[in-house]
Amino acid sequence: VQLQASGGGLVQAGGSLRLSCAASGTTFFIGNRGWYRQAPGKQRELVATIEIGGITNYADSVKGRFTISGDNAKTALYLQMNNLTPEDTAVYYCYGKHKLIAREFWGQGTQVTVSS
């Protein structure tokens, strides 16, 4: 399974971006999916997840502003980000968990920069 993240860029505070993550290969084995982010000098943090049944979870810092979604075929994952703030500046990574074994798949990351 290969994941390819895209959609990052430079946006002003209050703006929006939509990140995409395209999955290829044997996507049947992808279970829960999500997005992490890592800001300069900080640890990678979980942003949002979507479970196989469609249940979503969000970090408190993005609740009400970000929406995660994905297709049932596990070929596409999205993160709609609204009302962005400079604190959202980070490299965003998509990931997927293998349904059967303890293994994860990671995208290469896409840079999001929010100017004040």
Side-chain angles (χ1 to χ4, degrees):
V1 174
Q2 294 80 42
L3 302 181
Q4 180 77 31
S6 62
L10 174 63
V11 65
Q12 288 187 331
S16 299
L17 282 175
R18 188 189 194 211
L19 304 184
S20 298
C21 180
S24 59
T26 312
T27 59
F28 171 82
F29 290 115
I30 298 176
N32 297 345
R33 297 173 287 172
W35 292 90
Y36 275 79
R37 67 185 180 185
Q38 187 165 19
K42 295 186 177 181
Q43 290 188 333
R44 189 173 294 190
E45 65 170 344
L46 182 63
V47 176
T49 61
I50 182 167
E51 299 178 6
I52 294 177
I55 296 174
T56 57
N57 292 283
Y58 298 92
D60 288 342
S61 59
V62 306
K63 280 181 182 177
R65 300 187 298 122
F66 290 12
T67 302
I68 187 172
S69 62
D71 67 338
N72 291 331
K74 309 295 177 62
T75 60
L77 182 69
Y78 305 102
L79 185 68
Q80 177 67 42
M81 306 185 294
N82 298 327
N83 195 20
L84 286 160
T85 73
E87 288 68 37
D88 296 315
T89 295
V91 178
Y92 284 71
Y93 300 89
C94 57
Y95 84 97
K97 289 186 176 181
H98 198 291
K99 286 195 290 189
L100 303 177
I101 61 176
R103 182 179 176 182
E104 295 180 339
F105 311 104
W106 288 89
Q108 85 288 3
T110 184
Q111 175 71 48
V112 172
T113 303
V114 184
S115 63
S116 58

